[in-house]
Amino acid sequence: MSAESPGARDRISRLRTAFKHWRWQRPFWAGLLTLLAGLPIGYLPYANVTLGQLTVRMSTTAGSGSLIIGVLLIVLGLTMWFQPVVRVFAGVATILLGLVSLPVSNFGGFLVGFLLALFGGGMSVAWAPGEAPAAQPAKDAGPAPDGGADGEDGAAGPDGADGGEPEPATAGAAPDQESRNGRHRAG
């Protein structure tokens, strides 16, 4: 007999699936990079580095500015996760705060926070929500019903729809316009 119950395994599987769907509906990685960018930018100006007997203080006169930038980056990262509609604003604000962190907070958290902010902001601006796949008709659904507004022969009705498969979209102009005035479609 197994010590692990199948109910726990099913719950974990459902939680992982739910998290995956939640993650796909928002700029998750952009928000994570932005959150991580706020940590070194906000923390390093207040850190004490000890090298043997030597203690180096990183605090600067602009330490409060670094803390504000770090907190704002963390808030923007959470905004990307929980309000994906404002992802473009959050991305641009992240990039600007990353650039401002260069002179304000020890070269943007020793370039680590700066680079994370740039990548996170760029990913947030570039992210676009995916579209749900449209419902496709079943291939073996049988023949299309006759007797609509188009008559008995199944020809196209007044709106041009014949009730069957849609015509594939083609590049270029309509066939009757392709050879007008001696011009032809290439390819």
Side-chain angles (χ1 to χ4, degrees), residues 69-172:
I69 290 173
V71 168
L72 284 175
L73 284 173
I74 291 171
V75 168
L76 286 171
L78 292 172
T79 302
M80 290 175 198
W81 280 354
F82 297 110
Q83 294 292 329
V85 176
V86 295
R87 69 188 183 280
V88 175
F89 166 76
V92 170
T94 299
I95 292 170
L96 290 176
L97 284 172
L99 290 171
V100 168
S101 73
L102 278 174
V104 171
S105 72
N106 297 331
F107 297 110
F110 293 116
L111 296 179
V112 174
F114 166 71
L115 291 175
L116 287 172
L118 286 186
F119 284 123
M123 288 172 69
S124 178
V125 169
W127 184 83
E131 295 179 13
Q136 298 289 332
K139 294 192 180 232
D140 296 324
D146 285 342
D150 56 353
E152 296 177 28
D153 59 352
D159 60 350
D162 61 355
E165 292 288 322
E167 211 174 287
T170 58

Side-chain angles (χ1 to χ4, degrees), residues 40-77:
I41 290 174
Y43 173 73
L44 286 178
Y46 294 104
N48 291 331
V49 178
T50 305
L51 304 170
Q53 296 290 337
L54 180 64
T55 301
V56 179
R57 286 189 58 82
M58 299 292 200
S59 63
T60 62
T61 57
S64 60
S66 300
L67 185 64
I68 290 170
I69 290 173
V71 168
L72 284 175
L73 284 173
I74 291 171
V75 168
L76 286 171

